[in-house]
Amino acid sequence: MCAHVLVAEDDEKQAELIRRTLLAEGHTATVVHDGAAALDAARRLRPDLVVLDLMLPVVDGFGVCRTLRGGEDPEIPVVMLTARSAEDDVLLGLEVGADDYMTKPYSPRELMARIRTVLRRSGRATGARDGDPVVRAAAITVDPERHEVRCDGVPVECTPAEFQILLAMAGEPERVFTRRQLLHCTRGFDRSSTERAVDVHIMNLRRKIEPDPRRPVRLLTVFGVGYKLSGGRS
């Protein structure tokens, strides 16, 4: 089962953790941090499911959910997240149209289980996009189920950290990731590591996937920002 999930969460660390967990499950994800951006992304991208934080700025989760239910795709599944666990809040979330409701703190595994259940119930997922959980970006393929990477069809041996970097970047080709975001992909929020460690992982990956590591055409540096994986031909 694979789906495109819109994550609307104003806490950037929580949003990145959800996004990374979704990618590891074989889904694709788009992340926004306020309610207005969530509504815009839902209209443009038509995601299969929305993970919606209640306490969003600009437009709160209740307002986003009400608008979604009255919009172009009123059946879009919504899993609502909040730190507020009062019964009235839970009931209101369900009344405005949320399909499920989780209170913080929660485990990522439980959230993924809830998402799978809602997707199955809604029939929105595509059986891992026609049965294929592999994430692709040009010459790079990443298989999260088999924990395999291939470049131009040739198997590539990756460390766990390298695998998580490629999985995240292949899931969103051409997106520029900061070092901090890639560090979260590899080590969660372990502060014992440093953002500079990401540079070492990138250097090692270039040796494995670039025709000429000294002149990268696939794993590119965006100066002053971070790195991106090219989604075009190389």
Side-chain angles (χ1 to χ4, degrees), residues 193-228:
S193 189
T194 68
E195 294 177 25
R196 301 303 299 180
V198 171
D199 295 333
V200 177
H201 295 314
I202 295 294
M203 180 178 64
N204 290 336
L205 280 169
R206 282 175 172 161
R207 293 193 184 108
K208 298 175 181 182
I209 69 172
E210 292 285 358
D212 182 353
R214 295 170 298 178
R215 298 177 178 84
V217 294
R218 292 168 174 166
L219 191 46
L220 306 177
T221 299
V222 180
F223 292 101
V225 184
Y227 299 101
K228 71 175 183 177

Side-chain angles (χ1 to χ4, degrees), residues 54-182:
L54 175 60
M55 303 301 290
L56 289 173
V58 187
V59 181
D60 68 15
F62 292 135
V64 171
C65 197
R66 287 192 188 97
T67 302
L68 290 176
R69 289 293 175 252
E72 299 175 0
D73 189 7
E75 301 301 319
I76 185 171
V78 175
V79 176
M80 194 171 281
L81 307 176
T82 184
R84 294 161 57 174
S85 59
E87 183 179 14
D88 287 348
D89 292 327
V90 175
L91 293 176
L92 180 56
L94 297 175
E95 285 173 4
V96 298
D99 295 270
D100 204 348
Y101 197 106
M102 291 192 67
T103 57
K104 301 177 182 179
Y106 55 84
S107 75
R109 289 181 61 187
E110 182 182 1
L111 176 58
M112 292 305 111
R114 298 285 189 95
I115 287 173
R116 285 193 297 270
T117 298
V118 172
L119 285 171
R120 278 197 299 268
R121 192 164 62 219
S122 69
R124 301 281 291 229
T126 59
R129 297 284 189 230
D130 297 330
D132 186 0
V134 175
V135 179
R136 294 178 174 85
I140 309 299
T141 61
V142 185
D143 188 333
E145 290 189 356
R146 295 181 175 85
H147 209 272
E148 293 177 351
V149 174
R150 290 179 178 266
C151 181
D152 293 319
V154 179
V156 176
E157 293 294 331
C158 292
T159 67
E162 292 166 1
F163 181 88
Q164 291 299 329
I165 286 174
L166 278 182
L167 179 62
M169 299 181 84
E172 297 183 76
E174 302 298 339
R175 173 187 168 180
V176 180
F177 290 80
T178 66
R179 289 181 176 88
R180 179 174 294 276
Q181 288 169 332
L182 293 175

